[in-house]
Amino acid sequence: MTVPGRRSSTFIRLLRSGFTDPSAAARLLDAEALAAVRADPVLLDALGATADPDLALLGLVRLAEAQPSGELPGLLDTLVSAKPLRDRLLGVLGASEALGDHLARHPRDWLTLVTYEAADLHPGLPEFERGLADAHDPVALRVAYRRCLLSIAARDVCGTIDVAETAAELADLATATLRAALRIASAAAPEDAAQCRLAVIAMGKCGGNELNYVSDVDVIFVGEAVNGTDEGKGIQAATRLASHLMRICSETTVEGTIWPVDANLRPEGRNGPLVRTLASHIAYYQRWAKTWEFQALLKARAVAGDPDLGGQYIDAITPLVWQAAERENFVPDVQKMRRRVVDNIPAAQVDRELKLGPGGLRDVEFAVQLLQLVHGRSDATLHSGTTLDALHALAAGGYVGRADAAQLHDAYRFLRAMEHRIQLYRLRRTHLVPEDENDLRRLGRSMGLRTEPVAELNKAWRRHASVVRRLHEKLFYRPLLDAVAQLTPGETRLSPRAAGQRLEALGYADPAAALRHLEALASGVTRKAAIQRTLLPVLLGWFADSADPDAGLLGFRKVSDALGKTPWYLRLLRDEGAAAENLARVLSAGRLAPDLLMRAPEAVALLGDPEGLQPRTHEALEQEVMAAVGRAETAEAGVAAARGVRRRELFRTTAADIIGSYGTEDNPAEEDHGALVDRVGGALSDLTAATVAGALRAAVQSHYGDTLPTRFAVIGVGRFGGHELGYGSDADVLFVHEPREGVDEQEAAKAAQTVIAEMRRLLQLPTADPPLLIDADLRPEGRSGPLVRTLSSYAAYYRRWSLTWESQALLRAEPVAGDADLGGRFIELIDPLRYPMEGLGEDAVREIRRLKARMESERLPRGADPTLHTKLGRGGLSDVEWTVQLIQMQHAWAEPGLRTTRTREALAAAHAAGLIPTDEAQILDEAWVLATRVRNAVMLVRGRAGDTFPSEARELAAVGRYLGYAEGTVGEMLDDYRRITRRARAVVDELFYGG
């Protein structure tokens, strides 16, 4: 753009001075009110030094035009001749549109910036009280408050005070304002003031002397009746005064509002009385208060009203605050609090959140407060309500590494400065970094970034947020390692007692053992120890997120002892970000997965491979097992190799299940629990089939070489045939054989019996692996019948003797190993039995219902809670499966989709065929999936199978974590299970028992 003549040079100069709209700036400079100074070069340079020169110039013109008659020359003369005033006034006008509006409404308030004395540079509470002394109504209080705020903002933007001093002055101003508001309220109701004593306790940032420009001021009110006044009337009077104080500060008037006064941190929150007596407060905190309430009380400070009553309150609650870490529920409370809550932040705002977002202010504040609670009970130097002061004390005491504390200190100051500047612009309560380019430019320039303010601001912000994110976890755990590693002489370290306190607070049941593990892992100058010192701070945090941190740490030590000299192991954990977190989740989720890993530590490599946790196909598994058996010199060696494959694949399946159920920092927990169950059931069934096939090959080779005298097939039934095996399931099977041409039937039967016996022997050889039990009790005549039959014998038996329950059991029959052709002909034989033409007759339906009722009454273990037994209890697996199987036997002859061995697939087919309404199908599916997950969780946690929830508290909590329930919510988990299965039972009563 070309501007001829004089305007061209002005335009260019304005651009160079930082104006973004030089044309508009030139018109403002031509305003009559600035005629006396527009040519002064000092003014333009001073405007160019502000955060937003355009905004500063506009504010100056409005202020000049608003000056009372005869006072404009005084403003302009002072402006060009007094640099301190010029910097203050223009600095405020360039940083705060809201304070520019205030000066336009109250044009003489600029005079508060003229004085430049020591007391003015660092005013305290007495100066602010004098500044508000003449305010006798809410409107006058707002004007006086803004006038005082103007002086704080001027010192802030000019760098006369730093971010911590600014926050402290804002807290002092808030204290003076609360006192003035109480004075106004008392003057309006002298009879109430005469009946009570009222103390105002500041909480939160006000209590901690670290307030923002615009923030809720959190308070608690304590009241007492004066001598001779009924307590009830005295508290009512105090409540009226407190309510009026809140309105004076919070209500909007012609001069706007000051800030909301929030009393929701009081006992019982919004549901509790606004004012309580001191005795009532103490009784509540001693009996009912939660850990987060003591965390909030860290910052409690008496600020207004009766000083003696306020002092008594602080004296009474202080010991309770520092005893909070000794409370019975402190550990689960801490674990819940440590899980940062960002779910309520809109997804589009998470990355712009200074306070609650990842690496935000809340991370620093929470970490510092938690460490204060843990260690402040034995170290009074930590008793500070101010975050930066407390951080300094933690570093001085060795509770936080000095380098970490210094980095966190700098990051926190930078983030708070950003928050101050964002709020100062319009004096609005916000913690969001703006998106508009001009707003970002003003913000960057206000932080002293002048070359490329937007780019420099974003870079600095991300860097500091990254520091907070990285140090947030490290802050808890690095000093624990320093306490045991004994590397740097002279560094202040945690004492063993303090380290034990911290581990206990983080959920470790045996802090002494945990410290021994840490010492073994982190001590020394080897490369292994150095890498583990880097890994452990993060790993310890992940362990602490689990229900059994001790087991996680012990497991890590065992794996590291086994693999520590293997170069790839520590490199995998260090370089593959997901591997370390995946390992931490697996080691601390229960006994089964760590036990599997201990027997095959090299399987940890699966955790770093993006495809490593995907289940392998049945074909790939069988091919590997058969190849291993074929290479072995003996049957025992062959099955040992097959069981080795099974061990590794079991670990793959359990690890994928745990990680999918828990989620990781980068990948949330799997929401489709049905898909998780199907994946586990399919993987375990394929793995069992491959192992059985390998055992069969080994048994045949050891006795008969390459060819068995009879064709032989293994038919999976029950959960095995239904692809629904759990971690603790037996392999239910039927054995069928058919003599080869020319082989005597007795010889063939003997060969089949020999192979079965050898298979069972080989699979039950004592090893450290989980057992694989083959159960053939569902065969014709049960345990009384022969273990194996020919195909023709099966046909004869089913034609003449088959009972309804046997046909029902065949619904989940599927060939799993051996001769595929024979297995296929077996399925052709049984299809008419399990899918009878025209469905079941009434007698058969009655018989199935009678058997089911008998099973419910006789097979449920004595003492078992029928509402929590996953297999035989109300609405459990048996209820859903028998209902689905009855529908299959009645309708599969006409509905091909029902001809499946899988429960969920059959249920979906029944719904698709219109045999089950949508709601009822969903209810049954939800109950079946939940009961299956509970059974899997019990095996994962305890390392042994179970059909009901564990009774031991830590095991029960671990089951809850697997199911997605937070620490301390096992009651909710049990209630949900009972509710879901109760609804399922109602559907079963209608569909299975006929209503």
Side-chain angles (χ1 to χ4, degrees), residues 72-83:
L72 177 59
L75 167 66
L76 298 180
D77 288 346
T78 310
L79 190 65
V80 295
S81 62
K83 185 179 188 309

Side-chain angles (χ1 to χ4, degrees), residues 8-45:
S8 175
S9 61
T10 303
F11 186 91
I12 293 170
R13 189 175 176 202
L14 289 170
L15 268 180
R16 288 175 176 170
S17 295
F19 288 87
T20 58
D21 189 349
S23 299
R27 288 193 296 273
L28 287 171
L29 282 171
D30 286 338
E32 183 179 347
L34 297 186
V37 295
R38 72 166 63 100
D40 194 314
V42 171
L43 175 62
L44 202 57
D45 290 343

Side-chain angles (χ1 to χ4, degrees), residues 695-909:
L696 174 59
R697 170 70 62 88
V700 171
Q701 284 181 345
S702 68
H703 288 272
Y704 297 96
D706 292 335
T707 306
L708 190 65
T710 185
R711 293 182 178 86
F712 186 89
V714 183
I715 311 297
V717 289
R719 298 194 180 286
F720 189 13
H723 298 261
E724 297 163 355
L725 282 179
Y727 296 116
S729 301
D730 294 344
D732 290 318
V733 298
L734 302 176
F735 297 113
V736 58
H737 78 106
E738 185 177 66
R740 294 187 185 277
E741 189 174 344
V743 176
D744 177 73
E745 192 162 315
Q746 281 190 328
E747 181 188 348
K750 182 179 179 182
Q753 295 277 7
T754 300
V755 164
I756 293 170
E758 180 68 354
M759 284 176 62
R760 286 183 149 180
R761 183 187 75 82
L762 291 171
L763 289 172
Q764 292 176 13
L765 286 173
T767 71
D769 294 316
L772 175 55
L773 301 178
I774 294 178
D775 188 339
D777 287 353
L778 290 177
R779 64 187 183 269
E781 301 179 73
R783 294 181 181 177
S784 303
L787 197 58
V788 60
R789 292 173 182 261
T790 63
L791 185 64
S792 57
S793 175
Y794 272 108
Y797 175 86
Y798 288 139
R799 185 168 57 249
R800 186 170 184 184
W801 304 109
S802 177
L803 300 174
T804 304
W805 74 265
E806 292 177 300
S807 298
Q808 183 182 352
L810 292 171
L811 282 167
R812 294 203 281 188
E814 182 173 290
V816 294
D819 190 294
D821 176 69
L822 179 59
R825 285 186 284 130
F826 181 86
I827 296 303
E828 291 175 4
L829 168 68
I830 64 171
D831 272 353
L833 289 169
R834 56 184 181 174
Y835 310 134
M837 189 62 64
E838 305 297 332
L840 293 174
E842 291 185 8
D843 288 346
V845 172
R846 275 196 299 272
E847 176 65 11
I848 289 175
R849 289 171 175 165
R850 186 186 66 77
L851 282 172
K852 176 73 169 68
R854 178 181 165 191
M855 185 175 71
E856 289 177 14
S857 63
E858 295 180 2
R859 290 185 58 189
L860 190 70
R862 179 177 296 179
D865 184 344
T867 68
L868 293 176
H869 199 279
T870 58
K871 184 176 181 180
L872 301 174
R874 179 194 69 190
L877 295 171
S878 176
D879 271 0
V880 177
E881 289 165 1
W882 280 61
T883 301
V884 171
Q885 290 162 11
L886 179 60
I887 292 172
Q888 285 180 283
M889 296 184 76
Q890 287 177 311
H891 300 283
W893 66 275
E895 291 292 341
L898 289 170
R899 297 170 202 166
T900 175
T901 63
R902 305 173 191 232
T903 301
R904 296 189 71 223
E905 202 172 280
L907 181 57

Side-chain angles (χ1 to χ4, degrees), residues 490-797:
E491 176 80 6
T492 305
R493 289 192 181 87
L494 286 181
S495 66
R497 180 187 177 201
Q501 286 177 336
R502 185 172 303 188
L503 284 164
E504 189 177 354
L506 293 164
Y508 288 82
D510 188 348
L515 280 172
R516 288 195 300 273
H517 298 325
L518 290 177
E519 185 170 7
L521 288 162
S523 290
V525 293
T526 64
R527 178 176 175 274
K528 172 186 172 184
I531 293 176
Q532 290 188 148
R533 282 194 295 274
T534 302
L535 290 171
L536 277 166
V538 183
L539 287 170
L540 285 168
W542 287 324
F543 294 150
D545 268 339
S546 74
D548 195 349
D550 301 78
L553 181 55
L554 174 60
F556 181 68
R557 180 179 176 183
K558 288 180 177 178
V559 173
S560 293
D561 286 347
L563 294 176
K565 295 180 180 178
T566 311
W568 60 264
Y569 166 63
L570 289 172
R571 186 170 63 245
L572 170 79
L573 296 185
R574 183 191 64 195
D575 299 339
E576 298 289 341
E581 184 177 5
N582 289 344
L583 178 62
R585 300 299 181 203
V586 167
L587 291 176
S588 55
R591 295 179 185 172
L592 180 61
D595 286 350
L596 291 168
L597 186 58
M598 292 306 118
R599 295 176 194 128
E602 66 280 357
V604 77
L606 298 173
L607 301 175
D609 181 356
E611 301 300 318
L613 298 179
Q614 295 299 316
R616 299 177 67 202
T617 64
H618 175 265
E619 292 75 16
L621 289 169
E622 187 166 309
Q623 184 179 5
E624 182 181 3
V625 167
M626 290 302 194
V629 171
R631 289 191 299 269
E633 295 184 359
T634 65
E636 288 80 4
V639 170
R643 292 175 75 168
V645 173
R646 178 171 180 259
R647 180 196 315 125
R648 183 196 67 216
E649 296 304 319
L650 272 175
F651 175 72
R652 188 196 307 270
T653 304
T654 57
D657 188 15
I658 289 166
I659 292 162
S661 297
Y662 273 70
T664 63
E665 290 185 356
D666 294 329
N667 296 299
E670 172 76 63
E671 292 184 3
D672 187 349
H673 295 157
L676 264 178
V677 164
D678 290 344
R679 229 170 12 247
V680 171
L684 293 175
S685 300
D686 288 344
L687 178 55
T688 300
T691 308
V692 169
L696 174 59
R697 170 70 62 88
V700 171
Q701 284 181 345
S702 68
H703 288 272
Y704 297 96
D706 292 335
T707 306
L708 190 65
T710 185
R711 293 182 178 86
F712 186 89
V714 183
I715 311 297
V717 289
R719 298 194 180 286
F720 189 13
H723 298 261
E724 297 163 355
L725 282 179
Y727 296 116
S729 301
D730 294 344
D732 290 318
V733 298
L734 302 176
F735 297 113
V736 58
H737 78 106
E738 185 177 66
R740 294 187 185 277
E741 189 174 344
V743 176
D744 177 73
E745 192 162 315
Q746 281 190 328
E747 181 188 348
K750 182 179 179 182
Q753 295 277 7
T754 300
V755 164
I756 293 170
E758 180 68 354
M759 284 176 62
R760 286 183 149 180
R761 183 187 75 82
L762 291 171
L763 289 172
Q764 292 176 13
L765 286 173
T767 71
D769 294 316
L772 175 55
L773 301 178
I774 294 178
D775 188 339
D777 287 353
L778 290 177
R779 64 187 183 269
E781 301 179 73
R783 294 181 181 177
S784 303
L787 197 58
V788 60
R789 292 173 182 261
T790 63
L791 185 64
S792 57
S793 175
Y794 272 108
Y797 175 86

